[in-house]
Amino acid sequence: MSSKAKQSQKLLLFRLSGSRLFGIGTLKIREILPYKPLTKLPHSHRAVVGTTSFRGSAVPVIDMAVAVGYPALTPEELKASSIIITDVQRQETGFLVRGVQKIIETDWKKVKAPPAALGDKAFITGLLDVEGDIIQLLDVELLLANVYPDSLETGEVALTDVQGETLRALNILLVDDSRIARKQLCDVLDAKEIPYQVTTSGDEALQVLLKDNELGQPIDILVSDIEMPGLDGYELTFDVRDNGSLKQPYIILHTSLNSEMSLSYANQVGANEALTKFDADELLHAMLRGASETE
């Protein structure tokens, strides 16, 4: 594969309990702050420990250990803790962690999907071996959905009869490694009775693209996450665009990242559009734009 499709991926490693290491992509991170006293929020989820001021705004802070099922930080541990300010799914959230270790550079091909035995409720999207240490990559979307269940509401989207029929005639493929993100995508299309296929990895999505193309029923619209174990969204897009035998789909990279850099790179590797999760109206209208180009 050409190096054009490769972009260095950086992960912030941190601890929640004991010596076990966790990680999240740095593109999700706005800043890392030392702990400071928080303003309490009444009637909030037990994992929400308060709010902190960040660049003039009040940002909720979640004790990440509590959110994933570990004991809360003790008063002594708080003194050495950090708050990771993230920008995910169009909202800023702080995550309180026991200790930030370092930032490493890797690529998603080295990230392995978590074993199925962990079940649907595991907060893990991937595992990475770093010098013998197994890093668990956290599913921030699932974590936020558990703390803020109302965030899963996708809202009603108004489509004309013609628009609905246009989308129902398409062969649509969705790919996302996050169970919560897949549910949001599926709920939007199910509500409009729009058929689709769904996969959990870029590698699986590429096989579906190749198979459907061979069957004479090529994928019209591909909606893919960016950060995924194995073949990430950037490389999936590049592989599709680099395959001369494929009828080319309209590619929408759909990501929880708000980074302008990540969205710009999506266009460089051949995506037609790059959207920040999650706006149902925006997504369906992007698909309609794709439909007009595939006619």
Side-chain angles (χ1 to χ4, degrees), residues 274-291:
L275 305 179
T276 301
K277 298 173 183 174
F278 190 91
D279 186 313
D281 185 78
E282 190 175 78
L283 178 61
L284 289 183
H285 282 86
M287 289 182 177
L288 286 167
R289 286 190 291 276

Side-chain angles (χ1 to χ4, degrees), residues 25-159:
T26 57
L27 288 175
K28 291 184 172 80
I29 298 171
R30 296 289 302 277
E31 203 158 322
I32 302 170
L33 307 174
Y35 175 78
K36 58 183 178 181
L38 305 172
T39 302
K40 296 295 184 182
L41 280 175
H43 313 299
S44 57
H45 188 280
R46 62 188 181 84
V48 179
V49 289
T51 65
T52 189
S53 178
F54 177 68
R55 299 182 184 178
S57 298
V59 175
V61 177
I62 295 170
D63 185 332
M64 191 178 273
V66 172
V68 301
Y70 291 123
L73 272 69
T74 66
E76 281 301 310
E77 288 172 324
L78 282 176
K79 296 175 183 177
S81 66
S82 299
I83 297 173
I84 304 169
I85 304 293
T86 64
D87 192 353
V88 177
Q89 293 192 319
R90 305 172 187 251
Q91 68 180 47
E92 289 181 339
T93 306
F95 289 105
L96 185 66
V97 299
R98 275 185 165 80
V100 168
Q101 182 171 352
K102 61 181 176 180
I103 291 174
I104 63 168
E105 190 166 315
T106 187
D107 70 70
W108 288 101
K109 279 193 173 299
K110 296 180 180 178
V111 177
K112 306 299 182 184
L118 289 179
D120 285 343
K121 295 186 178 179
F123 293 92
I124 306 299
T125 60
L127 302 173
L128 178 66
D129 188 328
V130 178
E131 299 176 353
D133 283 327
I134 302 301
I135 312 301
Q136 301 185 53
L137 304 190
L138 284 173
D139 187 341
V140 178
E141 290 158 322
L142 177 57
L143 190 154
L144 288 173
N146 276 19
V147 175
Y148 302 112
D150 289 347
S151 67
L152 290 178
E153 298 298 325
T154 55
E156 179 61 27
V157 181
L159 291 180

